[in-house]
Amino acid sequence: MAVHPRVGVVNARSRPDRFGLMALIAALVLLIAAVALSLVPQPALAASLVRVTNFGTNPTGLNMYVYVPDRVAARPAMLVMVHYCGGSASAVHNGNGRDYVTAADRLGYVIVYPEATRDGHCFDVSTANALRRNGGGDSTGVMSMVSYARQRYNVDADRIVVAGFSSGAMMTNVLAAQYPDVFSAGSAFSGVPAGCFATTNGSLWNSQCSGGNLLKTPQQWGDQARAMYPGYTGRYPRMQLWHGTTDTTLAYPNFGEELDQWTNLHGVSRTPASTDQPQQSWTRTRYGTTGTTATIEGISIQGTGHSLPMAGMLPYSISFLGLDKPPTTTTTTTTTTTGPPPADGCKVTASVSPWNTGLTETITIANTSATAVNGWQLRFTLPGGQAITSGWSASYSPATGEVTARNLDYNAGIPPNGSVQIGFQATHTGDSAAAGGFTLNGERCAVG
């Protein structure tokens, strides 16, 4: 082998391989560090936006996402957060709806995000199916999400609220009109009255409404909302409405039409009970009652277009929706029954909150069998003198005596070890005890 005279040859065995030894030492150091790190307690993974599939009836193929904070309340409130046209669940979760998320981390409530999947990612508030309770439109899928989350996270049924931006604000109005027995309050940023966007040609856009040219009387708007849930005579959700005065996408006159609709639905005067300016360029009017949780609240933003919400607005929405309030409490009445022991298939818990001549009763139906229930009828007997005036999450007939509660489209299924929660408001003549004698699809249920 030719060798350069100045370099020469070193015998590989004549001295230790210093570089190999150094590499071995470095590898040992890394191994020791890795072992030490593995022994140090690691922080839990932070809460994140999670997609949910197979949540129930979903005729229009919406996506469902849910955010559950690391420290969720024992009986959390639930916010249904509906995105804008062209938006997505992650867009509002990480963008202009972020204040709802940070508040959820602090207050322990759950956020459900419906996500439109059609071209344009707008919600349908226009077609006949979309504007009818359990009609098979987008709102039907949203209510399946609500039912799923209520059962899974032990949600406080009295604190289910909805909020939305633009297309989501229009859906907020529609959901509150169609399911007034489910939602306690809504907050709509740059929306239109429920039913304003109705079309007859299959289009999801109504230029007359968007331009602020569809004007009706308060009674007409109220009747249009009531037609979405025929026969309902109970209370409607409290409503907070926001709009910019220079909005040209969903023109500003829609703000007044929304106020017309909701004051009519609540049967309160269109004349404000109070007017103030919580911030510069804001004008806030309250109707029916005043205070943070007024019956209806309208906030007009001077010189602002279709760009809501803006910084500082969502905390007002959070307070109005009652998301910063503690869970509701009820007086639990345990019913006793006589007769043969109940079967192992179902268990019912009933809680009653009475007042002078009225009450509300919440009933939880648990499937304690190993087989899923697909479609249900719950029969029970009301104490003498009680009469149901309105109900939620089921249809009820008759109003007195032996009553049958039947499932709605979105809560027909009860998986093994799962449950659904229903309820009603009733009058009484002195006996405010809970119902009794519960049977599910003809099978007697345990009570506890």
Side-chain angles (χ1 to χ4, degrees):
M1 176 175 65
V3 180
H4 194 284
R6 289 193 174 185
V7 177
V9 176
V10 177
N11 188 330
R13 297 180 180 178
S14 64
R15 64 182 184 183
D17 186 343
R18 291 180 298 166
F19 297 106
L21 182 60
M22 291 174 64
L24 177 61
I25 292 171
L28 288 172
V29 169
L30 289 174
L31 177 61
I32 293 168
V35 171
L37 184 62
S38 69
L39 297 176
V40 177
Q42 298 298 305
L45 293 175
S48 60
L49 191 64
V50 176
R51 184 176 176 190
V52 177
T53 58
N54 300 320
F55 52 83
T57 303
N58 184 25
T60 58
L62 301 177
N63 289 335
M64 175 185 178
Y65 289 83
V66 65
Y67 179 76
V68 180
D70 290 327
R71 296 183 178 180
V72 65
R75 289 188 66 223
M78 182 201 302
L79 169 64
V80 179
M81 175 70 251
V82 195
H83 68 72
Y84 47 86
C85 231
S88 65
S90 61
V92 290
H93 179 79
N94 297 306
N96 54 356
R98 190 65 188 174
D99 282 352
Y100 286 131
V101 180
T102 56
D105 290 334
R106 185 176 73 256
L107 299 167
Y109 60 82
V110 174
I111 308 177
V112 169
Y113 296 91
E115 183 178 81
T117 56
R118 64 176 56 85
D119 288 347
H121 289 246
C122 298
F123 288 95
D124 180 4
V125 292
S126 303
T127 65
N129 287 347
L131 296 176
R132 185 175 69 252
R133 181 183 174 99
N134 303 324
D138 283 353
S139 58
T140 299
V142 173
M143 295 312 298
S144 293
M145 301 177 197
V146 170
S147 180
Y148 174 94
R150 281 177 67 167
Q151 297 172 45
R152 185 172 182 84
Y153 303 112
N154 191 35
V155 166
D156 184 347
D158 293 326
R159 295 196 302 151
I160 300 175
V161 298
V162 57
F165 311 151
S166 189
S167 176
M170 294 192 283
M171 178 57 82
T172 295
N173 278 282
V174 166
L175 287 170
Q178 288 182 0
Y179 300 92
D181 50 342
V182 174
F183 296 101
S184 61
S187 187
F189 291 82
S190 307
V192 302
C196 184
F197 246 57
T199 59
T200 57
N201 60 0
S203 171
L204 301 188
W205 189 261
N206 185 320
S207 58
Q208 186 182 16
C209 176
S210 65
N213 299 313
L214 189 55
L215 308 178
K216 299 184 180 184
T217 66
Q219 184 66 44
Q220 288 173 323
W221 281 125
D223 289 345
Q224 188 157 356
R226 281 183 281 268
M228 297 180 188
Y229 186 8
Y232 179 71
T233 58
R235 58 97 181 144
Y236 277 85
R238 295 181 302 103
M239 188 60 64
Q240 182 187 58
L241 306 164
W242 300 73
H243 225 104
T245 61
T246 58
D247 191 333
T248 57
T249 302
L250 297 174
Y252 183 65
N254 282 302
F255 177 62
E257 302 301 294
E258 286 177 292
L259 290 172
D260 285 347
Q261 184 172 68
W262 287 100
T263 52
N264 181 265
L265 286 170
H266 280 276
V268 301
S269 173
R270 183 63 167 82
T271 301
S274 67
T275 302
D276 66 352
Q277 287 189 296
Q279 292 196 26
Q280 186 179 8
S281 80
W282 296 17
T283 299
R284 178 171 60 189
T285 51
R286 287 168 167 164
Y287 305 82
T289 58
T290 60
T292 304
T293 54
T295 307
I296 300 155
E297 183 172 273
I299 304 175
S300 174
I301 315 299
Q302 185 67 35
T304 297
H306 198 70
S307 56
L308 304 185
M310 302 170 71
M313 292 182 176
L314 294 192
Y316 287 85
S317 172
I318 290 164
S319 293
F320 178 86
L321 294 172
L323 292 170
D324 55 356
K325 301 293 188 296
T328 56
T329 57
T330 58
T331 302
T332 301
T333 304
T334 302
T335 61
T336 58
T337 58
T338 60
D344 296 331
C346 55
K347 179 179 180 180
V348 170
T349 304
S351 63
V352 175
S353 294
W355 62 90
N356 296 336
T357 59
L359 60 87
T360 59
E361 181 164 343
T362 301
I363 298 171
T364 302
I365 310 165
N367 176 11
T368 55
S369 74
T371 305
V373 173
N374 294 304
W376 51 264
Q377 294 185 15
L378 181 74
R379 289 189 177 180
F380 53 86
T381 302
L382 292 177
Q386 289 189 17
I388 295 175
T389 56
S390 63
W392 56 90
S393 301
S395 62
Y396 300 83
S397 65
T400 60
E402 186 175 283
V403 178
T404 299
R406 295 175 174 84
N407 68 267
L408 302 181
D409 288 348
Y410 66 86
N411 64 357
I414 312 177
N417 299 315
S419 64
V420 296
Q421 193 174 75
I422 65 174
F424 57 83
Q425 183 169 308
T427 57
H428 67 84
T429 58
D431 188 348
S432 60
F438 295 98
T439 62
L440 182 67
N441 292 347
E443 180 179 349
R444 188 161 175 254
C445 297
V447 178

